[in-house]
Amino acid sequence: MNPEQRQRLWTRGVCFAGLLLLLHGFPARVAAGWYIASTTIPPNSSPSAWPTPQIVTRVAQNRLTYETRAWTQIIDLNTQQLSVISHLGQAYWQGPIEAYATLMAARTQERRARAERLMNQLPRSPQRLAARRAGPFDSLSPKLTIIVTPLSEAESVAGYTAHKYRIQRNGIAYEETWLAEKIDLGTDVDMSKLNAFIGKLRTSRTTPPGAVLAELTELINRGYPVRTVNLVTQVVKEVVQVEQRSIRAEAFLVPNGYAHKALVEIMFPTRRRL
């Protein structure tokens, strides 16, 4: 083979390699996954009055994001790391989920102590009512028991058949949720790692913004909650769009120019420092 033939062969090889990169879409920066858009509907409102998604969830390669206009939380299940991003303050915190759980558990203990002092000043019936309204992870009880009961109803939500479940928290019916079994996050995440992450959140009685109690139970192993009704507040969270699509790596990164801050400053920006 003469030099001219070698040059032509090398040039063809470079062109072919470049074509392969274009066809595959730079796989290091793009990954298949789930795009799930949800809306929150206040009591006595029509879903048609709230058509714009307020919460976007993205899932790909053992990473998840919950995103709104005000905040984003990024979960890396491989490292069990959490990023909490404030778009209003253009700031973020990044660290192990244990650090997040420790801070939020301490805040829960503070709220519980204040609430108990207030409850002791009220008659017994209002005490029980206030305890019911404290939220799924803000209970006055030091223990959290969740019971999930399948019901017979089924509906179509966001194009998926969804079966109804009732969720009890410490013996009180707290949520009704419709689960779509065909939305299987297990195609893109290691469910054992997701369950480990959820377990750490449950011990701290907290949840990423955008998640509901149904997403922190064993239901997540069966499918995805596409509609959830809070039986205390009557607020509805409903999925309005679900797609399996390519998710760019930038979706799991902190935006450029954001300042790193302590977690307490991100989570409680107006709280007076001691």
Side-chain angles (χ1 to χ4, degrees):
M1 183 181 296
N2 60 43
E4 184 178 348
Q5 289 174 321
R6 284 197 296 269
Q7 178 65 32
R8 283 200 300 268
L9 184 60
W10 181 86
T11 301
R12 289 172 184 166
V14 169
C15 292
F16 182 70
L19 179 61
L20 284 178
L21 283 175
L22 289 173
L23 290 175
H24 286 281
F26 297 95
R29 297 183 62 81
V30 179
W34 290 95
Y35 173 93
I36 303 172
S38 307
T39 188
T40 302
I41 307 167
N44 304 316
S45 295
S46 169
S48 61
W50 302 84
T52 304
Q54 299 144 337
I55 302 168
V56 173
T57 302
R58 295 179 177 87
V59 183
Q61 293 188 334
N62 272 336
R63 295 173 297 177
L64 304 90
T65 68
Y66 295 94
E67 180 180 347
T68 74
R69 292 182 180 180
W71 50 257
T72 296
Q73 290 205 7
I74 302 171
I75 299 167
D76 187 327
L77 296 176
N78 289 324
T79 62
Q80 298 286 294
Q81 295 273 310
L82 177 68
S83 299
V84 184
I85 302 168
S86 168
H87 297 301
L88 299 179
Q90 293 194 334
Y92 75 98
W93 171 86
Q94 193 172 66
I97 182 57
E98 288 84 358
Y100 178 86
T102 297
L103 173 66
M104 300 307 292
R107 296 303 183 191
T108 297
Q109 291 291 341
E110 291 177 10
R111 290 194 299 270
R112 183 180 296 127
R114 289 196 298 269
E116 286 178 339
R117 289 194 295 269
L118 178 61
M119 291 301 101
N120 290 333
Q121 301 173 17
L122 297 176
R124 187 171 180 81
S125 292
Q127 279 186 354
R128 291 177 176 175
L129 180 61
R132 268 191 76 181
R133 292 181 174 173
F137 293 89
D138 237 352
S139 172
L140 295 180
S141 170
K143 294 184 178 180
L144 177 64
T145 301
I146 297 175
I147 298 175
V148 177
T149 305
L151 304 175
S152 59
E153 295 98 316
E155 292 186 29
S156 178
V157 181
Y160 286 81
T161 299
H163 295 90
K164 188 176 180 181
Y165 293 78
R166 178 174 291 116
I167 302 176
Q168 291 178 293
R169 182 210 71 190
N170 291 340
I172 299 174
Y174 185 79
E175 285 181 349
E176 290 180 344
T177 191
W178 284 255
L179 193 76
E181 287 86 355
K182 289 190 176 180
I183 302 178
D184 181 11
L185 298 189
T187 60
D188 295 276
V189 302
D190 183 326
M191 295 305 293
S192 64
K193 293 180 179 179
L194 178 58
N195 287 328
F197 193 93
I198 288 173
K200 294 168 186 175
L201 288 173
R202 286 179 63 173
T203 59
S204 66
R205 305 293 182 90
T206 190
T207 167
V212 292
L213 182 57
E215 293 170 303
L216 299 180
T217 69
E218 70 272 16
L219 282 178
I220 202 70
N221 294 304
R222 309 181 197 178
Y224 193 84
V226 290
R227 179 191 296 145
T228 299
V229 180
N230 184 304
L231 297 177
V232 178
T233 66
Q234 296 303 309
V235 171
V236 178
K237 180 189 173 187
E238 183 164 327
V239 171
V240 295
Q241 181 183 359
V242 182
E243 292 182 12
Q244 284 189 284
R245 62 161 69 166
S246 296
I247 307 296
R248 296 194 65 82
E250 286 81 355
F252 304 103
L253 299 176
V254 175
N256 290 331
Y258 278 37
H260 184 271
K261 291 188 177 181
L263 179 59
V264 67
E265 295 182 71
I266 300 292
M267 298 302 301
F268 308 99
T270 61
R271 187 181 178 89
R272 182 175 61 86
R273 304 289 177 260
L274 298 179

